[in-house]
Amino acid sequence: MSNLYDVVERVAISREEIAAKVAELGAKITGDYRGKELILVCVLKGAVVFFSDLLRHIDLPVTVDTFAASSYGNGSETSGEVVVEKDLSMDIRGKHVLIVEDIIDSGYTMRKTVDMFSSRNPASVKICALLDKPSRRKIDIKGDYIAFTVGNEFLAGYGLDYAQLYRNMPDICVLKESVYR
Ligand code: IMP
Ligand code: MG
């Protein structure tokens, strides 16, 4: 019988560290958006776990929406071509939008998403990302709220997948080399 964690080389960021940081971010967002109409956007699928935890640490009357985009490329390298798979269902005009994303890597996904949302005349558009890999950036984009800044290792768990698997690991992990073969 195999267990979920059999593929894990090591835990990079533990569930306890994540929980503490998510609570801290939620408190910061609560303070920054008090008195404003906030729409929290969950970027599918990678951000769902982070989103559901963060949402419950925001002590404000917020509305939520979902958005999905894919960037095409071969394997782990993105081509920079980003395609919208599921657009927002809400009208964001005049509202404050906070995009909740799993990771900013090349930056293409967030650049395209922010530009697209901005063209709809919201009051503001900001990014909250669980992870930031600044060393991999190919296009200029910065997150406004970042839980953890990481190196260029591939990470899985807490919503992040490898080949659509491992999103259900409660910790953010480095996988064994053998998984990629
Ligand atoms: P972008 O390159 O900034 O456009 O990021 C695109 C997407 O690549 C992210 O939203 C993730 O879904 C995925 N991604 C990038 N790095 C990792 C990683 O280390 N683990 C899992 N997914 C990743
Ligand atoms: Mg993603």
Side-chain angles (χ1 to χ4, degrees), residues 2 39 62 66 71 87-88 100-101 120 141 146 151 170 173:
S2 67
I39 299 184
V62 302
T66 57
S71 58
D87 202 350
L88 297 175
V100 181
E101 171 66 309
R120 300 174 189 178
I141 186 91
I146 301 293
C173 303

Side-chain angles (χ1 to χ4, degrees), residues 136-153:
R136 302 243 319 159
R137 208 68 98 248
K138 296 247 173 63
I139 192 167
D140 184 45
I141 186 91
K142 268 209 178 88
D144 300 280
Y145 302 92
I146 301 293
F148 302 98
T149 299
V150 295
N152 66 29
E153 256 174 335

